[in-house]
Amino acid sequence: MSIPAFGLGTFRLQGQVVIDSVSTGLELGYRVIDTAQIYENEAEVGEAIAASGIARDELFITSKIWVANFAGDRLIDSLKESLQKLQTDYLDLTLIHWPSPEDQVPVEEFMGALLQAKQLGLTRQIGVSNFTVDLMKQAIDAVGAEHISTNQIELHPYLQNRKVVEFAQSQGIQITSYMTLAYGEVMKDPVIQQIADRLQATPAHVTLAWAMQLGYAVIPSSTKRANLASNLKACAMTLSNADMALIAGLDRGHRLTSPKGIAPHWD
């Protein structure tokens, strides 16, 4: 099994805003929805999915276990709560959202519980998010690389995270890029704008296509119908080797997300 290349993110979207975004996305043809316990929008995402009438087996739903739910039986209980909110019997992918702060819960413990959730049929695939090379090694030691479908990390032209990518790919672990558009910063980048103008595309198309061409899954979010529709066009775009090289040259280690007390020591 593998992770679909293109999906809809729901980070920072709540209430009617997330219902509208997911509803519009599903109407436009999105079939992959990414949420998380800490987003506090699983119930609304579930409501939008239920109202869409789309068959469950046509959808790929991802959620993430929050750090407060890592210990003991709490992980599986919290996943069951997520399933109730999302109005589904199983997730397609369940991730550990961040490593346990100060290793309060050992990697072996929460990865073991996550594998148990998979064995119970609560989730079809499991993975991690925001894991460094060292943390991935610990997760592999705990459950085996064959059980870790993806590492979802901040990855965009300004933070290409090559060390983490290289190790993950060497282990057969797919990369999912979040914040692929760097909170919109790349939309103003002259190099990306130049490529977009030449291809009669938008900077968002170019950036999303760049990530997918490197083999990463992407989960951009939007509250605007026009942007949701437009982003889909990235799936049909192919960039030249020269354009890929130009974007590769934009990396400057510019990290946008590193929550104090939760973030690991980055590679």
Side-chain angles (χ1 to χ4, degrees), residues 23-226:
S23 300
T24 303
L26 292 170
E27 189 186 320
L28 290 169
Y30 286 78
R31 292 296 179 266
V32 179
I33 310 293
D34 180 281
T35 182
Q37 292 174 343
I38 198 64
Y39 297 173
E40 297 184 343
N41 64 12
E42 288 175 316
E44 288 80 4
V45 169
E47 187 182 324
I49 289 171
S52 75
I54 296 167
R56 177 66 183 89
D57 61 6
E58 289 182 34
L59 298 168
F60 189 99
I61 304 172
T62 300
S63 194
K64 310 177 198 80
I65 306 292
W66 186 240
V67 296
N69 297 324
F70 286 173
D73 297 334
R74 184 69 200 126
L75 188 145
I76 286 175
D77 287 345
S78 79
L79 176 50
K80 288 177 179 175
E81 289 168 21
S82 291
L83 294 177
Q84 282 185 322
K85 290 174 182 174
L86 288 160
Q87 300 183 44
T88 183
D89 296 330
Y90 67 93
L91 288 178
D92 296 277
L93 175 65
T94 305
L95 305 178
I96 294 296
H97 201 157
W98 286 87
S100 183
E102 298 174 353
D103 294 325
Q104 290 166 3
V105 181
V107 172
E108 183 180 11
E109 182 177 335
F110 60 68
M111 288 306 298
L114 194 58
L115 180 58
Q116 189 184 351
K118 180 182 177 182
Q119 292 163 342
L120 290 169
L122 302 175
T123 184
R124 293 193 167 173
Q125 299 185 65
I126 62 173
V128 297
S129 182
N130 300 300
F131 269 40
T132 59
V133 171
D134 178 60
L135 286 161
M136 279 192 286
K137 286 178 179 175
Q138 291 181 53
I140 289 166
D141 287 346
V143 298
E146 69 276 12
H147 288 297
I148 304 171
S149 292
T150 193
N151 185 6
Q152 186 178 123
I153 56 174
E154 180 184 342
L155 192 152
H156 44 75
Y158 300 148
L159 180 73
Q160 297 186 25
N161 238 322
R162 291 191 180 105
K163 189 176 177 185
V164 169
V165 168
E166 207 172 287
F167 178 77
Q169 291 179 336
S170 77
Q171 301 299 309
I173 297 170
Q174 193 172 345
I175 291 292
T176 301
S177 155
Y178 73 78
M179 287 186 193
T180 317
L181 304 178
Y183 280 150
E185 285 185 31
V186 297
M187 316 285 256
K188 305 183 284 273
D189 188 274
V191 171
I192 292 173
Q193 280 185 327
Q194 187 180 31
I195 296 169
D197 290 345
R198 182 162 28 83
L199 297 175
Q200 297 183 307
T202 68
H205 293 164
V206 170
T207 307
L208 294 169
W210 161 79
M212 287 189 282
Q213 209 161 310
L214 288 171
Y216 312 149
V218 296
I219 45 170
S221 65
S222 181
T223 58
K224 296 177 182 174
R225 185 184 186 91

Side-chain angles (χ1 to χ4, degrees), residues 254-267:
H254 178 46
R255 187 176 297 279
L256 297 169
T257 301
S258 190
K260 196 174 179 183
I262 292 178
H265 296 294
W266 300 111
D267 291 301

Side-chain angles (χ1 to χ4, degrees), residues 242-254:
D243 288 340
M244 293 293 285
L246 284 172
I247 299 173
L250 297 176
D251 190 11
R252 56 175 191 250
H254 178 46

